[in-house]
Each structure stands twice: as structure tokens, then as C-alpha cells.
Amino acid sequence: MDLAVIWFIAISVLWIGYFVLEGFDFGVGILMPFLGKRDSVDRRVALNAIGPVWDANEVWLLTAGGAMFAAFPAWYASLFSGFYVPLFLILLALIVRGVAFEYRGKRDDAQWRLWWDRAIFLGSALPALLWGVAFANIVQGVAMDADHIVTASLLDLLNPYALLGGLTTLSLFTLHGAVFLTLKTDGPVRVRARQAALRTAYVAVPAGAAFLLWTQLAHGKAWTWPLVLIAAAALVGGAAAALKGREGRSFTLMVVTIVAAATTLFGSLFPDVLPSTTDPAFSLTVANASSADYTLTVMTWVAVVFLPLVLLYQGWSYWVFRKRVTGATVTGETVTAGPDTGVAA
């Protein structure tokens, strides 16, 4: 297999890992205003549920972006110039959210925490929406000239297919976060999260089904049909499991949904990396957008050595903080590590 193809697959895996792990972080941030009254212990419980892992989850984004830059510089250049406004808004939202996590608990003041709670909500909702818009446009293609310069305007990116993609990721990540909270917390937050999961499913299931069907019919390939069916079945099954209180099964099925749906997108895109709607001959492909073989070879050896270490460390951190978070763990003398406290337990 060509090294460029291998790295396309590797980058796809990095993005899928990011959506699975950061997806529930976004969902928790979106749901936080609805999980308890302002300045309540319940909001601290929700934040502490993702406190030990949210920054490690964002590393998947940095790695995916870095791998794109090194393996497919032409793809990276066209994408980040043509999608400058939405990607800048995503970056700004992630910065604001990270600052909010760290500064929310720095002052014992209800108004102070309220403003940071709003920042966490916006910093979670905006990327959850815009990632769907961006990747829908990548799969669908954009206006691009022979020099691989994207000529599409911001309004061109806000087309019906892309907006449906944004609604899908927004609702899917919100559902993912709600299911995660039912698995990771106990007490009032767990009860409210289950209610939020059921309500969000009324949007996520039809939106996800419509987006996957549109993607398959317009851009999919014969071999991606099973992935579409798996994603749809897992999404419905995950919502049904949440209704029955089977939290572990529900979370597993949500992971399967995101993996299958994202794989459908990347599978529909291949062998292009950024199709041109101006002229198919202007499209960026795995072949014409990749770096030299020497660069890809060096990257491969680096990944072989360091990727297992990163996976082992992140798996260990999830194991260490595997216990449920409750009100007692954030109000007692010993607190769960998290962005609300800024300290380790």
C-alpha cells in the first residue's frame, strides 16, 4: 500500500479519535447550564467528570492537524485558507473554553462562575456545530481553481448539506455527552443527564439518519453502505439503551455511531482530500497533495515509536479516573481533579 494512502488512513483515525473523545467533552459543556442551577454543586460534578481528560482529548486535534500539515501540505494549505473563518472561530472557541475551565473556580463568586459557565457553553457548542459544517463541505467539495486556491465564500460554505452536517454533529455530540455523564456521574446529575439524552435523541436520530443517507446517496461508495447502516442502527440502539438505563451499552453504541459515521465521511472522500466543484481536474487527491516519500517514511517511524506510548498514557489516565463523580467528591475535603478546582486530588 502507498505511504500516502496509509497516512490518509492514519489522519482519518486521528480525526475519528478526536470526535469520539472530544465529542463527549463538547456535550458536557453544552449541557452544563441544564444540569443544575447557577453556582450549584451539580455543575461542578459535570465539569469534574471531564476534568482529568479534556485537555488530553484535545491532543488528538493537534496531532491530526500536525499530521495533515506534514503528510499533505497542499491539503492543509487549501483547507486552512479557504475555511479560514470557521476554523478561526473554532480555534477561538476552544481557547475560550480552555481558559474557562481553568479560571471558573479561581474566585468564590457566583457571578464570576456564571460568566465562565457561559463561556464553556459557547466554547463547546460552536465547535460542535462548525466541525460538522466544515467536514460536510470537505466531502461535498468547494469551488477551487487550478492552483488549488479555494474561491468559495463564507456563504457558499453555509449550504443546506453543510448546515445539516452541523446540526448532526451538534446534536450527536450533545447526546454523546449526556450518555457519558450517565456513565460517569451519580446523583441528580445522572438523572438529569439521562433525561437530556432522551430529549436530544429526538433531534440526533433523525438528523443523523438524514445526513448519512444524503452523504451516501450523493458522495458514498458501494462499500460505505454497511457503515451507514451500522451507524444508524448503533445510534437508535444507543438512544434505546439510554432509555432503559443501560449506560455502558449506550455509551459503547454511541462510540460505534461516531466511528462508523466518520469513517463513512472519509471513505466517501477518498481518493480525494478536497474535491473541486469548479472542475474535478482541480481537485486535491491523496496522490497530488502528499509530501515526498522520504517525509512520509520518517513520519511513519516516528508514529510507530511514539503513538503506542501516547495511547498507553491516555488509557492509564482513564483507568485512574474511572470512578463516578458525585456531589460528595467535589464538596468534601478531598476533591476530584478537574478544571473547576485546578488541583489534583
Side-chain angles (χ1 to χ4, degrees):
M1 187 182 293
D2 192 301
L3 276 177
V5 175
I6 291 174
W7 271 100
F8 176 83
I9 296 172
I11 290 169
S12 302
V13 170
L14 290 171
W15 278 109
I16 292 168
Y18 173 69
F19 290 146
V20 168
L21 297 174
E22 188 76 339
F24 64 72
D25 289 342
F26 288 146
V28 172
I30 293 168
L31 289 171
M32 199 180 69
F34 311 103
L35 296 174
K37 298 179 180 179
R38 67 171 68 176
D39 200 33
S40 69
V41 172
D42 293 339
R43 292 193 181 189
R44 293 180 59 193
V45 169
L47 284 180
N48 280 28
I50 61 173
V53 297
W54 73 267
D55 48 355
N57 293 343
E58 285 195 346
V59 171
W60 287 76
L61 172 62
L62 300 177
T63 308
M68 287 176 64
F69 174 77
F72 299 99
W75 183 18
Y76 183 93
S78 295
L79 183 64
F80 278 76
S81 59
F83 291 55
Y84 182 82
V85 173
L87 292 179
F88 176 78
L89 290 175
I90 290 173
L91 177 61
L92 183 62
L94 292 177
I95 292 173
V96 169
R97 188 184 68 140
V99 171
F101 280 157
E102 297 296 337
Y103 277 82
R104 183 184 186 275
K106 297 300 183 183
R107 285 177 55 182
D108 187 16
D109 180 79
Q111 194 65 26
W112 169 270
R113 284 189 285 268
L114 175 62
W115 280 105
W116 289 121
D117 286 349
R118 292 170 177 169
I120 291 171
F121 172 79
L122 291 175
S124 300
L126 192 60
L129 172 70
L130 292 180
W131 280 130
V133 173
F135 272 87
N137 276 297
I138 292 173
V139 173
Q140 178 177 247
V142 292
M144 186 166 56
D145 62 23
D147 295 322
H148 304 308
I149 297 174
V150 176
T151 57
S153 67
L154 178 61
L155 291 179
D156 293 331
L157 299 180
L158 301 178
N159 54 78
Y161 175 69
L163 292 176
L164 178 59
L167 176 62
T168 298
T169 52
L170 176 63
S171 58
L172 190 60
F173 291 161
T174 304
L175 177 58
H176 193 32
V179 171
F180 173 79
L181 285 174
T182 65
L183 186 65
K184 193 68 175 66
T185 65
D186 210 346
V189 174
R190 185 181 179 186
V191 174
R192 294 190 188 106
R194 183 179 293 118
Q195 295 170 347
L198 300 179
R199 293 169 183 168
T200 307
Y202 286 115
V203 178
V205 171
F211 180 67
L212 284 171
L213 185 60
W214 190 341
T215 299
Q216 180 61 33
L217 294 177
H219 312 289
K221 299 174 176 62
W223 67 269
T224 56
W225 267 114
L227 293 171
V228 172
L229 297 177
I230 290 172
L235 179 56
V236 173
L243 175 63
K244 297 177 181 178
R246 297 178 178 176
E247 295 151 355
R249 178 178 297 182
S250 179
F251 184 77
T252 300
L253 288 172
M254 288 306 304
V255 171
V256 171
T257 299
I258 295 173
V259 170
T263 305
T264 300
L265 292 180
F266 283 103
S268 301
L269 179 62
F270 185 82
D272 292 331
V273 292
L274 188 60
S276 171
T277 57
T278 305
D279 187 334
F282 300 160
S283 298
L284 283 169
T285 67
V286 169
N288 66 19
S290 65
S291 296
D293 283 346
Y294 178 78
T295 301
L296 297 178
T297 301
V298 172
M299 291 176 60
T300 301
W301 282 110
V302 171
V304 167
V305 173
F306 289 102
L307 184 58
L309 299 177
V310 174
L311 293 176
L312 284 172
Y313 171 76
Q314 191 160 17
W316 174 80
S317 66
Y318 273 92
W319 175 256
V320 169
F321 295 102
R322 66 188 181 278
K323 293 183 179 180
R324 290 183 182 270
V325 182
T326 65
T329 62
V330 299
T331 57
E333 186 174 349
T334 302
V335 246
T336 301
D340 188 42
T341 61
V343 297

